[in-house]
Amino acid sequence: MATISSNPIFEHHADGIAQGPADVITVGYNWGRWFESARAHGNGWQRVSKRAMFDAVRARGDAIGGYVWNKAFRVALLRENKIRYDESLALAEDLLFTTEAVVASDNFWFNPAVMYQKINRPGSTIHSATGEMRRTEQQVRRHMDELGRGL
């Protein structure tokens, strides 16, 4: 498994892997006062269907979310499916990466217990995105929807 986050939550991902076959492991997060995933789903490891995982990744403000920072991905899955970050994108690259991994995957585990603390930085890309970046993000989101057709 590989995680893209710098947050030390590896031991929690290892617990998720121990639940059974895993392609994508995800844990709960806190995003300031705005959101805490544990309120939405309780605690304990839960197997998630592919459709439910895709829908959660596509939804804004979901307990799972499309972000990479609360997830671990099976490296072999990423390699086999040539899933890489699209470095040409300045915004929504993580959402696209996660969506591509979910579409290529079959085994998902989620523990909504808060194990990741997201820090909202005022100067981050999400807060300083230009109109062009936002238009590109909408194109990425439409592409993500296309990837999910037929799941």
Side-chain angles (χ1 to χ4, degrees), residues 20-88:
D23 294 320
V24 179
I25 302 291
T26 188
V27 297
Y29 63 92
N30 224 1
W31 194 335
R33 294 183 181 154
W34 177 71
F35 183 79
E36 183 179 306
S37 61
R39 279 187 245 145
H41 293 276
N43 289 312
W45 286 104
Q46 306 162 21
R47 192 169 180 86
V48 179
S49 73
K50 185 172 192 148
R51 179 83 245 173
M53 187 69 170
F54 179 84
D55 291 346
V57 164
R58 270 301 283 124
R60 294 180 187 202
D62 187 270
I64 290 173
Y67 322 105
V68 295
W69 28 259
N70 64 331
K71 293 174 183 57
F73 304 87
R74 188 167 57 87
V75 172
L77 171 98
L78 301 176
R79 287 183 180 147
E80 289 164 13
N81 292 281
K82 297 179 175 76
I83 298 170
R84 300 272 188 260
Y85 254 72
D86 184 341
E87 294 182 24
S88 71

Side-chain angles (χ1 to χ4, degrees), residues 4 29 31 53-54 56-61 64-71 73 83-86 89 91-103 126 134 136-138 140-145 147:
I4 299 172
Y29 63 92
W31 194 335
M53 187 69 170
F54 179 84
V57 164
R58 270 301 283 124
R60 294 180 187 202
I64 290 173
Y67 322 105
V68 295
W69 28 259
N70 64 331
K71 293 174 183 57
F73 304 87
I83 298 170
R84 300 272 188 260
Y85 254 72
D86 184 341
L89 297 172
L91 195 63
E93 74 287 354
D94 57 342
L95 302 177
L96 179 59
F97 178 91
T98 302
T99 300
E100 289 174 340
V102 167
V103 169
I126 199 77
R134 293 291 179 191
T136 300
E137 176 187 17
Q138 291 312 308
V140 168
R141 287 185 175 278
R142 284 190 294 276
H143 177 63
M144 291 163 55
D145 287 341
L147 290 174

Side-chain angles (χ1 to χ4, degrees), residues 108-124:
F108 310 95
W109 288 94
F110 171 53
N111 187 338
V114 173
M115 299 175 200
Y116 185 90
Q117 191 74 22
K118 170 71 170 101
I119 302 201
N120 207 3
R121 294 178 296 111
S124 70

